[in-house]
Every structure is written in C-alpha cells, then in structure tokens.
C-alpha cells in the first residue's frame, strides 16, 4: 500500500486533527447558496490557510453534504516540471484527518483515455526537499464537507492549450458528471484573511 503522507501539516494548515477540524469548521460558517443545478466543479486557492482558508471555505461550503463518489483534483506543480499530466500512482493521500483513498481504477481509465496523462509520483511526492502543496491543502476541506469519496489526484506544469484540452476531453469522457466533482486548485488568493 502506497501512501503519499502529508508534507505541509503544521506549515500551510494545522497539524493536529482537532485543530485542523476546528479551523476548517470555523471557516465554513459562511452562507450556502441555492443553485438551480448540481455543482460539478469548484475553484479553490492553495495558499496557507491563514491566507486563503476563508476564501476556499466559500467554495467548499457550497458542496457541503453533497454526494460525490469521485473528486478529480487538478493542481499546478510549483516544484517539478511535468510533461503532460501526472496522476498519482498510490493508494492514499494522507492528511492529519486520515487517509483519502485514490480511485486507482479511475486513474488508470483516465490515463488510458489520454496519452498525456502519466501515472507516477512526479509532482506528488517530494522530488527534492519540497513536496507539492497545491493538491494536499484541498484534502482536509474535502474530508470535512464530504463523506465516502475517493480522489483522482492530478498535478501538471504544462498549461498549454493542447495539454489542457486533451486533459479536459479525457476527464469528460471518463467521468459521469452526476457523481464526479472537479476541484481546480488555484493561486486565486494570497492576501491576508
């Protein structure tokens, strides 16, 4: 069993389950809006929670208690150049709140549907002294607002139209929108909350 352990607990977000749960729960005390259609995707910032946690909570509050089987996480790589897209090859992504299961079968289906999706650890686990944070910081929010889900963790550095279109087409052909949530991790907000 391969687990990508939390690398940024106590740095980007609280490192104990109690403090992490309390912090996120306090951020989630925002309005939940009524939407005419089911939410199929959100954009959430990936700075440290002191800077972006309240902004991220607005998006996560909107999907609280919804039922999604699979969450496809799209995250930029800050430390490793990745040709195409890297889909994590392990079984779990760890956080202080527990291990989040990777939908290994879905990762394989996505990789088969797109020649630019490569299954491996590049961009996920530490290649030097810096493991990637942009995907990891999304997971505790998901663990608080959703029950019984698995993830398809994707990290990439090539933002070209061709790479993004190929990825988008593969996601659209691989996942049913009714049971899948897309989370785009973004440098959306780095100001003080």
């Amino acid at each position: 069993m391969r687990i990508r352990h939390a690398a940024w607990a106590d740095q980007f977000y609280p490192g104990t389950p109690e403090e992490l749960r309390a912090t996120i729960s306090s951020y989630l005390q925002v309005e939940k809006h009524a939407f005419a259609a089911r939410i199929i995707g959100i954009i959430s910032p990936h700075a440290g929670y002191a800077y972006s946690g309240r902004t991220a909570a607005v998006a996560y509050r909107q999907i609280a208690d919804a039922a999604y089987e699979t969450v496809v996480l799209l995250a930029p790589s800050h430390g490793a150049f990745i040709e195409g897209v890297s889909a994590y090859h392990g079984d779990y992504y760890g956080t202080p709140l527990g291990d989040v299961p990777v939908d290994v079968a879905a990762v394989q289906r996505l990789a088969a549907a797109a020649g630019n999706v490569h299954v491996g650890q590049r961009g996920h686990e530490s290649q030097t002294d810096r493991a990637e944070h942009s995907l990891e910081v999304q997971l505790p929010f998901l663990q608080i607002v959703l029950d019984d889900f698995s993830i398809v963790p994707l990290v990439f550095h090539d933002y070209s139209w061709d790479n993004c279109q190929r990825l988008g087409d593969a996601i659209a052909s691989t996942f049913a929108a009714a049971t899948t949530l897309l989370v785009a991790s973004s440098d959306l907000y780095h100001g003080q909350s």
Side-chain angles (χ1 to χ4, degrees), residues 10 12 28 38 41 51 57-58 67 81 86 91 95 110 112 122 146 150 153 161 175 185:
D10 278 330
F12 272 52
L28 289 169
R38 180 176 175 81
Y51 303 101
V58 173
F81 178 78
S86 176
D91 301 298
T95 81
L110 183 64
R122 187 153 178 80
L146 299 181
S150 59
W161 178 258
F175 299 100
S185 184

Side-chain angles (χ1 to χ4, degrees), residues 30 45 68-69 76 79 99 112 118 123 127-128 139 143 159 170 180 183 188:
V30 295
Y68 297 99
E69 291 177 12
D99 295 336
H118 312 287
Q127 302 297 314
T128 58
L139 297 176
Q143 289 174 293
Y159 313 120
T180 302
V183 174
L188 181 70

